[in-house]
Every structure is written in C-alpha cells, then in structure tokens.
C-alpha cells in the first residue's frame, strides 16, 4: 500500500507542470486610431481650434495629418539633418500650453512667434541662447485646421 501511495504522489508531482504566462504586446493598426478618433464638425476660426488643440489630446490627434514630417539636427557628431516622420502610432500629445511661460524659464527659455496667413498659421519657437528652434505649420484643409 505504501508503494501505491508513493507511486501516486510521484505521478502527481511530475504531472504538475509550471506554466509561464507570457504577455505579448501587439501594436494596434493605424486604422484603429483613425476610426477611434473620427472627427466631427470643424471650427473655421483658428483661435477656437487652437484652444481645443492645446487642451484635448483626442481632438489634437484628430487634427494631425499623418505621417507628420519631422526633421532635426543629429547632435551625435556632425550635426547632419535627419528626417524621421512621426506616425499615428508613435505620436505623443504636443503640450503647447507650457510655452506661454517659456520666456521666463531659467533654462531652456524661448520666445513664440505666431504668423497667421489666409489658409495657414506658423507657430515658431526660438531659443534664447540655447539652440531651441521649432517651426510648426497648421493648414486649413478641406474645411478643418490640421497640424
């Protein structure tokens, strides 16, 4: 009887298998984001649009034409111009509300210049002795403002 109990315990011990739970991260397709952020009516007045664009991440994503063209200087050596476009999958909320206080900052101070034209607006930041330089273009396309 002891042998039968030992055999059953041995079988029970070896039959238990540790299963590892593996998590696989799969990126959602761009179509998912486009459907999820389907836009409705647009404001034709840039100032109204811009106020929403600065404060609402979903509204902002709705009003960016992807892929977003992005060029910068590669600071690793020869300072060559690099172009790396931003897709809807790697876009992060662009918080422009902090820019108003930028000129007062101790480090990284910059000024803002907004140039409005008939169907486009250029939002430019220029660093004060620090190399910050950004040009952002908003365009009025098909009745809506877009970055």
């Amino acid at each position: 009887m002891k042998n039968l109990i030992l055999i059953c315990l041995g079988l029970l011990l070896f039959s238990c298998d540790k299963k590892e739970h593996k998590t696989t991260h799969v990126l959602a397709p761009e179509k998912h984001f486009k459907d999820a952020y389907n836009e409705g009516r647009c404001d034709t007045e840039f100032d109204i649009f811009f106020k929403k664009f600065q404060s609402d991440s979903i509204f902002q994503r709705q009003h960016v034409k992807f892929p977003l063209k992005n060029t910068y200087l590669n600071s690793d050596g020869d300072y060559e111009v690099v172009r790396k476009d931003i897709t809807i999958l790697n876009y992060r909320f662009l918080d422009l509300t902090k820019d108003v206080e930028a000129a007062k900052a101790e480090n990284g101070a910059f000024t803002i210049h907004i140039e409005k034209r008939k169907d486009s607006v250029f939002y430019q930041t220029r660093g004060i002795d620090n190399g910050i330089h950004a040009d952002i273009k908003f365009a009025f396309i098909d009745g809506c403002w877009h970055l």
Side-chain angles (χ1 to χ4, degrees), residues 103-121:
K104 299 175 188 173
E106 221 173 286
N107 295 318
F110 59 88
T111 60
I112 302 165
H113 176 71
I114 298 175
E115 181 184 333
K116 294 181 181 180
R117 296 185 184 167
K118 181 180 176 183
D119 60 353
S120 59
V121 174

Side-chain angles (χ1 to χ4, degrees), residues 41-110:
R41 187 180 68 80
C42 296
D43 291 302
T44 57
E45 178 64 39
F46 179 77
D47 293 332
I48 295 170
F49 157 78
F50 192 62
K51 191 174 226 177
K52 288 181 188 176
F53 188 86
Q54 290 181 72
S55 61
D56 185 340
S57 63
I58 294 173
F59 181 85
Q60 188 176 107
R61 191 179 292 257
Q62 289 173 342
H63 293 85
V64 175
K65 288 288 186 182
F66 292 103
L68 189 59
K69 295 174 185 165
N70 181 35
T71 56
Y72 58 93
L73 286 177
N74 182 6
S75 60
D76 296 338
D78 59 359
Y79 293 99
E80 66 181 332
V81 176
V82 177
R83 178 169 173 183
K84 185 175 181 184
D85 293 346
I86 300 170
T87 66
I88 197 168
L89 296 175
N90 61 7
Y91 180 78
R92 290 182 293 154
F93 179 68
L94 182 61
D95 188 2
L96 301 173
T97 59
K98 296 177 183 175
D99 289 359
V100 177
E101 299 295 320
K104 299 175 188 173
E106 221 173 286
N107 295 318
F110 59 88

